[in-house]
Amino acid sequence: MPQRFDLLVVGGGVIGLSVAWRAARGGLRVAVMDPAPASGASHAAAGMLAPVSEVTYTEEPLLRLGLASLDRWPSFAAELAADAGREAGDLDYRDGGTLDVAFGADDMAALEEIAAFATGLGLPARRLTGRECRRLEPMLAPSVRGGMLAERDAWVDPRKVTAALLTALERRGVTLLRTRAAALETSAGRVTGVRPATGGTVGADRVVLAAGAWSGGPGGAGAPAAIEGLPPGILPPVRPVKGQIMRLRSPEPILGRCVRGTVHGSHVYLVPRADGELVVGATQEEMGFDTRVTAGGLWELLRDARELLPGVTELELSDAVAGLRPGTPDNLPVIGPAGPPGLWLATGHHRNGVLLAPLTADLCAGDGDPGLLKICSPLRFQEHR
Amino acid sequence: MPQRFDLLVVGGGVIGLSVAWRAARGGLRVAVMDPAPASGASHAAAGMLAPVSEVTYTEEPLLRLGLASLDRWPSFAAELAADAGREAGDLDYRDGGTLDVAFGADDMAALEEIAAFATGLGLPARRLTGRECRRLEPMLAPSVRGGMLAERDAWVDPRKVTAALLTALERRGVTLLRTRAAALETSAGRVTGVRPATGGTVGADRVVLAAGAWSGGPGGAGAPAAIEGLPPGILPPVRPVKGQIMRLRSPEPILGRCVRGTVHGSHVYLVPRADGELVVGATQEEMGFDTRVTAGGLWELLRDARELLPGVTELELSDAVAGLRPGTPDNLPVIGPAGPPGLWLATGHHRNGVLLAPLTADLCAGDGDPGLLKICSPLRFQEHR
């Protein structure tokens, strides 16, 4: 094993693995450092690829990023499956759209606004009556009053994606270092490698920090030690946003597409898998580095899912986990050169890590619209300091 | 290993293990047959030893059985801990009483009746105002209007009890046969042993059938094959009553004693462990041999627990399982000679298996009030046929 690489990626979630895979396909000698790859937010994630219906809660720059990455998903999924030696359908990538439903007059008005906004941007967003919603999804609650179908939205199984990425990396000879990155090594202001917690040095021409919620500077109580070795102000202001999510098991799929709605003021979404699994997500909690599944979190998910789809009551609970999304002050990811030569960032993807993985990998490989890279620049936070 | 025993117990739940332990202490050569001991209803059970507060939902004969067994619990726990080489407190046996709380006027009226009934029988049952309830248990919901403290009630950790029983059995040289009992062997109308699913014969002077919900005659769809080899009408009319139950984890105990109440018409109880675990149970469902933990079952438990004790919201979910209680038509257990010489039954304990284990073991050892044994006689069902 060479202890010097062209590229060393710190963090083995969907972002880090995608960046490493893209680079390895480009012919670089690549390593990934993570004590437990594919076990954090990527393991919890539902895998909605839904830039349009996410418009509700965010701004236009994120929509641009999301659409650019959504366009990349079909070929990303196909090439990844092939590279991992799997069938084309093995990642459960599907593009049946997202159905956003409304219960009350306020919800309906909000959906009208989103639909108008999306249509104005040339995006397909079809408004539906309650009856039309139930014709699409017969298991929906009778109290659903109307909805909007974002027809371009898609979804994928993130656990299958990261498993395929790990296989593809192995087949391409990428080195997986199962240890924690303790510090960045620098020489004359340039980042030259990483010091693992287990000691020694792993040298690299470029280091990409893709450690999700663990990429940020020193945090508050309960926060893990930040990666050392950098001057203050370089690490991005990333914070953990806890999400609890559960998986139910059905003998056969009870939805044909993703469904989301607002219940008692909280957003819930339901993502169906081809094998009958139904993902119900997710809470959004500012709890620091806390990954406990709580009675209150589960109760909220169960309450909201029942409201949307009463039939869930009969389904078996197969999994309940919590993950930490890497949130940023402006809800946009942090991708690009971090300042010191040799260091890039690829983090801060918050709710959109799975969606933005193909675009992030391309941007880190120098392949992508410079305007998009500018939106994500780490320097936007450094300038404010 | 001798293939002939004085006593062969079919079923390694808390009942079967207790019967075997009592017999082994009496000097008998004993074997227990179970493919997965201590994994069924005993693993799910909360461990309330609450004959008085159970009076609500049942009849006086069961109360007599419960009180007789409750009296045996302190010495049973002490002797079991000693026999298993453990500290006296290791089974988490505690006797702080059950607090039964009421939210509305109807609940209060029902509690008044139970309290009057219990007091009439000379049992301690103290009525409390809402304020007195919260003085005992400060975490209780403000909406609790009053309650009743059944001061004699106790509780224990069933998982620690079965683990101690398995250790004690091993130390006493009891043979544990990890296989399913396929059939009873008979000779001239007398039961002479058991044929395991793995073949062969295990001979015994007496067989005790203590297989819980699996002790009954041939059931409906989805039911496992009944134990073979007996004339029709001998196996008791035991049916599975599904209970889903969850365990929450707290840094320290948030209750000092068991609390129960009726929320939205369903009964919920909360059992605290010394280490901070809080058991929340349990659903009662007639679903056949179905042990799935469902979204609806969990939702009901979480909803009811929140109503009683709003602070549960912050607690971590550590376990959720379903067990099958062995229910009988009259809610009384089935203990005693089954008809054919050499065969005894010890099953049908429904919600009271843990409570009734010491008494059941004594009755099977010929030690106990003949009047109690008569209440439990298997022949009461055979006579009706």
Side-chain angles (χ1 to χ4, degrees):
Chain A
M1 179 181 80
Q3 283 301 295
R4 177 144 205 100
F5 297 92
D6 298 322
L7 178 70
L8 172 56
V9 181
V10 174
V14 70
I15 294 295
L17 297 176
S18 296
V19 168
W21 177 56
R22 182 72 168 79
R25 294 183 76 202
L28 300 186
R29 281 172 308 154
V30 180
V32 174
M33 188 178 292
D34 193 317
S39 66
S42 306
H43 183 71
M48 285 182 77
L49 310 175
V52 175
S53 71
E54 278 280 330
V55 159
T56 335
Y57 322 107
T58 179
E59 320 291 339
E60 209 177 319
L62 184 53
L63 177 61
R64 284 182 60 200
L65 297 172
L67 291 171
S69 203
L70 183 64
D71 283 344
R72 285 163 162 82
W73 254 104
S75 60
F76 182 88
E79 288 163 20
L80 175 56
D83 222 31
R86 310 197 176 193
E87 299 290 325
D90 269 9
L91 307 183
D92 216 354
Y93 170 82
R94 292 156 75 193
D95 58 1
T98 301
L99 178 60
D100 207 330
V101 300
F103 289 93
D106 290 356
D107 293 354
M108 283 297 283
L111 278 192
E112 298 278 347
E113 276 180 40
I114 303 160
F117 176 68
T119 313
L121 292 166
L123 300 169
R126 192 146 56 93
R127 278 149 35 187
L128 304 175
T129 64
R131 183 172 301 192
E132 287 168 331
C133 289
R134 278 182 291 279
R135 203 174 299 143
L136 278 181
E137 298 293 350
M139 301 287 285
L140 277 180
S143 49
V144 164
R145 189 162 151 178
M148 179 190 91
L149 180 65
E151 291 168 290
R152 271 187 66 185
D153 284 359
W155 66 101
V156 72
D157 185 339
R159 295 181 179 181
K160 292 186 171 161
V161 171
T162 52
L165 281 165
L166 286 167
T167 302
L169 292 181
E170 193 182 350
R171 289 164 63 122
R172 291 207 172 256
V174 169
T175 301
L176 184 58
L177 302 161
R178 292 184 180 264
T179 177
R180 190 175 66 79
L184 292 164
E185 300 277 354
T186 58
S187 170
R190 181 181 178 82
V191 171
T192 57
V194 171
R195 178 160 54 78
T198 42
T201 294
V202 182
D205 292 345
R206 184 189 284 182
V207 172
V208 175
L209 183 58
W214 289 266
S215 308
I227 193 164
E228 292 173 7
L230 290 178
I234 302 296
L235 290 177
V238 171
R239 72 184 194 286
V241 181
K242 178 177 176 179
Q244 301 188 49
I245 193 164
M246 68 181 185
R247 285 165 165 79
L248 305 176
R249 190 178 293 143
S250 170
E252 50 197 50
I254 64 170
L255 286 179
R257 59 189 54 69
C258 296
V259 170
R260 60 193 300 162
T262 305
V263 182
H264 303 296
S266 71
H267 305 297
V268 64
Y269 52 78
L270 305 167
V271 179
R273 304 266 177 251
D275 66 359
E277 185 179 80
L278 185 72
V279 187
V280 182
T283 67
Q284 286 212 79
E285 305 162 67
E286 303 276 352
M287 298 283 288
F289 288 87
D290 167 10
T291 53
R292 298 175 311 135
V293 172
T294 64
L298 265 190
W299 179 78
E300 196 181 296
L301 293 174
L302 290 164
R303 177 197 63 186
D304 297 352
R306 284 175 83 249
E307 203 89 17
L308 228 54
L309 206 64
V312 297
T313 304
E314 305 305 322
L315 303 190
E316 182 176 10
L317 179 80
S318 60
D319 190 36
V321 293
L324 300 174
R325 310 176 189 90
T328 60
D330 58 8
N331 286 332
L332 287 166
V334 184
I335 307 168
L343 179 64
W344 273 51
L345 299 180
T347 184
H349 292 76
H350 198 203
R351 297 165 55 88
N352 295 291
V354 179
L355 170 61
L356 297 178
L359 175 67
T360 303
D362 281 355
L363 291 175
C364 287
D367 172 16
D369 180 346
L372 296 181
L373 195 58
K374 187 158 190 302
I375 292 172
C376 306
S377 172
L379 305 178
R380 72 186 188 276
F381 297 116
Q382 296 176 18
E383 285 160 6
H384 291 171
R385 281 175 191 166
Chain B
M1 179 181 80
Q3 283 298 298
R4 174 139 209 105
F5 297 92
D6 297 323
L7 177 71
L8 173 56
V9 180
V10 175
V14 69
I15 294 295
L17 296 176
S18 296
V19 168
W21 177 56
R22 181 72 169 78
R25 293 182 77 202
L28 300 188
R29 282 172 307 152
V30 180
V32 174
M33 188 178 293
D34 193 316
S39 66
S42 306
H43 183 71
M48 285 181 76
L49 311 175
V52 175
S53 70
E54 280 279 330
V55 160
T56 333
Y57 322 107
T58 179
E59 320 290 341
E60 210 176 320
L62 184 53
L63 177 61
R64 283 181 62 199
L65 296 172
L67 290 171
S69 203
L70 183 64
D71 283 344
R72 285 162 162 83
W73 254 103
S75 60
F76 182 88
E79 288 164 20
L80 175 56
D83 221 31
R86 309 194 177 195
E87 300 289 324
D90 269 10
L91 306 184
D92 215 355
Y93 170 82
R94 292 157 74 193
D95 57 2
T98 301
L99 178 61
D100 207 330
V101 300
F103 289 92
D106 289 355
D107 294 353
M108 283 296 284
L111 278 191
E112 297 280 346
E113 275 180 40
I114 303 160
F117 176 68
T119 312
L121 293 166
L123 300 169
R126 192 145 57 92
R127 278 150 33 188
L128 303 174
T129 64
R131 182 172 301 192
E132 288 168 330
C133 288
R134 279 182 291 279
R135 203 174 299 144
L136 279 181
E137 297 294 350
M139 303 287 285
L140 276 181
S143 48
V144 164
R145 190 163 150 177
M148 179 190 93
L149 181 65
E151 291 169 292
R152 270 186 68 183
D153 284 359
W155 66 102
V156 72
D157 186 339
R159 294 180 179 183
K160 291 186 170 161
V161 171
T162 52
L165 281 166
L166 285 167
T167 302
L169 292 182
E170 194 183 348
R171 289 164 63 125
R172 291 208 172 256
V174 170
T175 301
L176 184 58
L177 302 161
R178 290 183 180 266
T179 178
R180 190 175 65 78
L184 293 165
E185 301 277 354
T186 57
S187 171
R190 180 180 180 84
V191 171
T192 57
V194 171
R195 178 159 54 79
T198 41
T201 294
V202 183
D205 292 344
R206 182 189 286 181
V207 172
V208 175
L209 183 58
W214 289 266
S215 307
I227 194 164
E228 293 172 4
L230 290 178
I234 302 296
L235 289 178
V238 171
R239 72 185 194 284
V241 181
K242 179 178 176 179
Q244 301 189 49
I245 192 164
M246 69 182 186
R247 286 165 165 79
L248 305 176
R249 190 178 293 144
S250 170
E252 50 196 51
I254 64 171
L255 286 179
R257 58 187 57 68
C258 296
V259 170
R260 61 193 300 163
T262 305
V263 182
H264 302 295
S266 71
H267 306 297
V268 63
Y269 52 77
L270 305 167
V271 178
R273 303 267 176 251
D275 66 0
E277 185 178 79
L278 185 72
V279 187
V280 182
T283 67
Q284 286 212 79
E285 305 161 68
E286 304 276 352
M287 299 280 290
F289 288 87
D290 167 8
T291 53
R292 298 175 311 135
V293 173
T294 64
L298 265 189
W299 179 77
E300 196 182 297
L301 293 174
L302 290 164
R303 176 198 64 186
D304 297 352
R306 283 175 84 248
E307 203 90 16
L308 228 54
L309 207 64
V312 297
T313 303
E314 304 305 323
L315 304 190
E316 183 175 9
L317 179 81
S318 59
D319 189 35
V321 292
L324 300 175
R325 311 175 187 90
T328 61
D330 58 8
N331 286 332
L332 287 166
V334 184
I335 307 168
L343 179 65
W344 273 51
L345 299 179
T347 184
H349 292 76
H350 198 202
R351 298 165 53 90
N352 294 293
V354 180
L355 169 61
L356 297 179
L359 175 66
T360 303
D362 281 354
L363 291 176
C364 287
D367 173 16
D369 180 347
L372 296 182
L373 195 57
K374 186 156 190 302
I375 292 173
C376 306
S377 172
L379 306 178
R380 71 188 188 274
F381 297 115
Q382 296 175 18
E383 285 161 4
H384 291 171
R385 283 176 191 167

